[in-house]
Amino acid sequence: MSSRKIRVLVAKPGLDGHDRGVKVVARGLRDAGMEVIYTGLHQTPQQVAETALQEDVDVVGLSILSGAHMTLAPRIKELLCENGMEDVLLLVGGIIPEGDREKLLSAGHADQVFTPGDPLDKITAYIFNQFQESTSS
Amino acid sequence: MQQLVEDLMSGSRRAAARLISLVENDAPLKRELLKEIFPHTGKAYVIGVTGAPGSGKSSLVDCLLQQMRADDLKIGVIGVDPTSPFSGGAILGDRIRMQEHALDRDIFIRSMGTRGSLGGLARATREAIQVLDAFGKDVVLIETVGVGQSEVDIVRTADSTMVVLTPAGGDSVQTIKAGIMEIADIFVINKADLPGAERTATEINMMLDMKESDQWRPPVLSAVSVRSEGIGAVWDCLKDHRRFMEESGRLMEIRRERVRRELTEQVEYLVKNRIWDQVKEQIELESLLEKIVLRREDPYSAAYELLEQINFYSEG
C-alpha cells in the first residue's frame, strides 16, 4: 500500500532575483511526478536547511546565478549535515564555471551540478536513478 | 519506530517531519505509529483557512502567525496544494509567503500534496495534525487548496473555519449557493482595499440574515494582508470563536462527531481490506472483468456472486 513520492526542495539562496530557470525546473520535476516545494527568492542557507528539515525532502536543488555558489553550496551542505540530513541529494544549478563544478563535486559540496543547456530529462533521470531502489521497494 | 515517537515527544523537528512522511506515504508502520501517538493528542486547537485560489490564504496565515506568536503560542501549519491528476506531481508553494517564520523554532510548517483527495485537503492531513498535536503545538493551522464551491472537508477537520474571500467575487446569488459559504465560522474579505469590498460584506451579511438565528453568527471582517491591516481583529475573532466553542459545549460535540466518523472509516477500511484480500485469494478477477466487458455478465450480479463465493452472506 506504500505510496512514496520523491520530495524536492527547490530554493534560490542568496541575493540573485532571477527565478525563471528554477520555475522551469520545478515544473519539469512536477511533470515527472515529484512533489516540489518552492521557497521563493532570497533565502539564507539557514532557511534552506530548516525548510528541507521540516519538509523532509529527498532532494535539495539550489539555483544560483549570482556567482556565490562556492560559498552558498558548502554552507548549505554543512547545515544539512548538522540536521542529520547528510543523505539528502544536493543538486546545484545555474551559472557554474567548469572549474568550480569540479571543485564542488570533488569536495562533496554537491552531488551533481547542472548548467544551462542541460535538458530537463537529464535532471529527472538523474534523480530517478538515485532513488530507483528506494522507490521500487 | 519507538525511538521516532520518543524523539517527537522530546521536541525533535526531524522526528516530526519523518513521522509526517511515514503517515503520508501509508508506510506499513502507520497504524502502529498513530496508535503510539494517539494518547498524546487532543490538546491542539485546529483552525482551517479556506477560500478561492489567489484570495490570499497564505498571506493571511503568515500575518496570523505573527499575532499568534505574540500570544506565545506554538504553531503547526499544514499547507495543502493540488497534486496533478495526470503526473502525480505537485508544486507546493504555500511556504513562499511564510518563509519569514522558517527559522522560528516554535513554528513548524509542512506542505502537502492532495494525492488524489478531492475535498480540499490532503489524504493524510488528519494524521499529520495528530503528529503536530503530539509534538506539542497549541494551534494547528490548515490551509486548504484553493477551493471553488463545494470542497468542504476542512469543516470536518477544523475546530474553527475561516473562509477567505476577495471583493467582487460575483453577484449575490454566489453567496446563497450551498457549499463553502455554509461552512464559515468567520468570513474574511481580503484585499479589502480593492473596490467592491463593502458590497461583498453587505451581501454576505444579507445571506446571514436569511439564516435562522444561531448561537454563533459568523462575523464578516475586512483585511489587507499585504499591509497587515485588520489582522488583529481576525485573530481576536478566532479567539472569540474558540471561547464560544468551548463554553457552549460545541467543541466537545463536534469532536465526538469526528471520533464517530473516524471509527466508522477505520472499520470500513478494515472490512474492505479483509474482503478484498479474500476475493483476490479465491477468485480470478480478470476473467470476470472480461465477461463484464464483453457484456456477458452485468456488474451488479457479478458483485453479488463474488461475495457469495467468499461466503460473505452465509456467516451471519
Side-chain angles (χ1 to χ4, degrees):
Chain A
M1 276 284 280
S2 188
S3 56
R4 202 177 174 290
K5 271 188 206 293
I6 298 176
R7 285 170 68 88
V8 186
L9 172 69
V10 294
K12 289 286 306 178
L15 293 176
D16 95 73
H18 299 274
D19 62 353
R20 176 68 65 89
V22 79
K23 282 176 179 163
V24 171
V25 172
R27 198 184 147 173
L29 299 178
R30 180 201 78 181
D31 289 344
M34 302 179 202
E35 285 187 348
V36 186
I37 294 117
Y38 180 46
T39 56
L41 298 166
H42 308 313
Q43 300 292 298
T44 64
Q46 286 79 4
Q47 281 175 314
V48 175
E50 182 61 30
T51 302
L53 174 88
Q54 293 181 5
E55 298 287 355
D56 191 28
V57 293
D58 308 291
V59 183
V60 174
L62 306 176
S63 161
I64 309 174
L65 310 176
S66 63
H69 47 272
M70 296 309 284
T71 313
L72 291 168
R75 182 75 185 119
I76 289 168
K77 181 72 189 177
E78 185 185 325
L79 290 166
L80 286 172
C81 290
E82 276 173 26
N83 283 343
M85 297 185 82
E86 47 281 298
D87 293 340
V88 167
L89 209 58
L90 184 62
L91 310 180
V92 176
I95 311 295
I96 316 290
E98 196 53 40
D100 288 352
R101 173 202 165 92
E102 294 306 324
K103 280 185 211 156
L104 285 173
L105 291 176
S106 61
H109 294 145
D111 291 291
Q112 191 54 273
V113 174
F114 297 99
T115 50
D118 281 334
L120 274 174
D121 292 353
K122 190 174 157 190
I123 303 176
T124 52
Y126 175 81
I127 295 175
F128 278 131
N129 263 327
Q130 301 298 314
F131 290 99
Q132 215 160 33
E133 277 149 43
S134 50
T135 44
S136 61
S137 65
Chain B
M1 181 195 83
Q2 194 62 48
Q3 189 59 47
L4 215 47
V5 176
E6 269 170 37
D7 288 350
L8 177 82
M9 304 319 288
S10 60
S12 157
R13 298 186 325 290
R14 174 97 174 119
R18 294 290 305 133
L19 281 166
I20 294 176
S21 297
L22 287 171
V23 294
E24 192 176 28
N25 291 336
D26 255 335
L29 286 171
K30 180 174 134 181
R31 195 163 295 271
E32 205 54 37
L33 281 173
L34 291 170
K35 190 177 127 189
E36 290 287 327
I37 287 171
F38 190 77
H40 308 285
T41 60
K43 282 165 275 182
Y45 194 80
V46 183
I47 298 175
V49 182
T50 190
S55 54
K57 296 180 292 297
S58 303
S59 306
L60 212 56
V61 167
D62 177 49
C63 295
L64 276 172
L65 285 175
Q66 229 151 4
Q67 298 279 331
M68 291 173 171
R69 289 298 292 136
D71 283 0
D72 213 19
L73 293 170
K74 296 190 181 74
I75 309 142
V77 180
I78 298 174
V80 187
D81 269 323
T83 296
S84 161
F86 306 107
S87 70
I91 303 263
L92 310 176
D94 289 332
R95 283 193 85 96
I96 298 177
R97 317 263 174 257
M98 308 173 197
Q99 277 303 86
E100 218 184 292
H101 304 285
L103 297 180
D104 185 335
R105 291 290 159 107
D106 289 321
I107 295 181
F108 188 99
I109 305 172
R110 181 62 176 241
S111 317
M112 298 178 87
T114 52
R115 299 197 185 180
S117 157
L118 295 174
L121 294 181
R123 223 173 22 145
T125 305
R126 222 160 39 196
E127 286 92 337
I129 295 171
Q130 301 218 331
V131 173
L132 292 174
D133 188 348
F135 191 39
K137 295 304 177 199
D138 303 305
V139 175
V140 178
L141 267 167
I142 315 291
E143 179 184 337
T144 73
V145 300
V147 301
Q149 296 181 317
S150 61
E151 300 88 337
V152 294
D153 277 359
I154 187 66
V155 77
R156 303 213 182 100
T157 307
D159 300 321
S160 297
T161 302
M162 188 164 101
V163 171
V164 185
L165 304 158
T166 49
D171 66 29
S172 59
V173 178
Q174 301 301 337
T175 63
I176 55 171
K177 285 188 182 169
I180 190 166
M181 296 303 287
E182 292 175 294
I183 63 168
D185 298 309
I186 294 170
F187 285 100
V188 177
I189 300 168
N190 196 24
K191 310 187 188 184
D193 51 339
L194 295 178
E198 266 175 51
R199 205 191 80 190
T200 306
T202 309
E203 280 171 356
I204 296 168
N205 272 314
M206 279 168 62
M207 169 197 81
L208 294 170
D209 289 340
M210 285 189 261
K211 267 175 75 173
E212 279 175 50
S213 63
D214 204 349
Q215 280 174 292
W216 175 265
R217 179 186 163 114
V220 183
L221 303 170
S222 296
V224 185
S225 57
V226 287
R227 295 205 298 255
S228 299
E229 284 173 23
I231 311 299
V234 173
W235 177 225
D236 286 342
C237 235
L238 280 165
K239 285 191 279 194
D240 284 347
H241 186 251
R242 178 178 186 166
R243 209 169 302 123
F244 162 77
M245 292 296 281
E246 284 168 351
E247 285 167 7
S248 67
R250 274 288 290 151
L251 189 62
M252 282 317 289
E253 230 172 87
I254 63 165
R255 287 194 170 173
R256 198 185 171 82
E257 214 29 64
R258 205 173 294 157
V259 168
R260 184 192 305 277
R261 200 161 41 233
E262 277 171 15
L263 189 62
T264 312
E265 282 171 14
Q266 277 309 314
V267 169
E268 284 171 357
Y269 175 83
L270 292 175
V271 169
K272 198 172 81 180
N273 275 9
R274 166 101 195 262
I275 290 179
W276 276 112
D277 283 349
Q278 278 181 313
V279 167
K280 280 179 199 150
E281 221 170 80
Q282 299 175 20
I283 294 161
E284 224 283 277
L285 213 52
E286 288 309 313
S287 60
L288 186 62
L289 287 176
E290 193 58 29
K291 276 192 216 160
I292 301 173
V293 171
L294 294 170
R295 291 288 189 277
R296 288 203 198 117
E297 167 115 52
D298 69 279
Y300 316 101
S301 328
Y304 187 80
E305 280 160 29
L306 213 128
L307 290 178
E308 216 161 40
Q309 279 185 54
I310 61 163
N311 293 323
F312 178 75
Y313 295 105
S314 62
E315 277 172 40

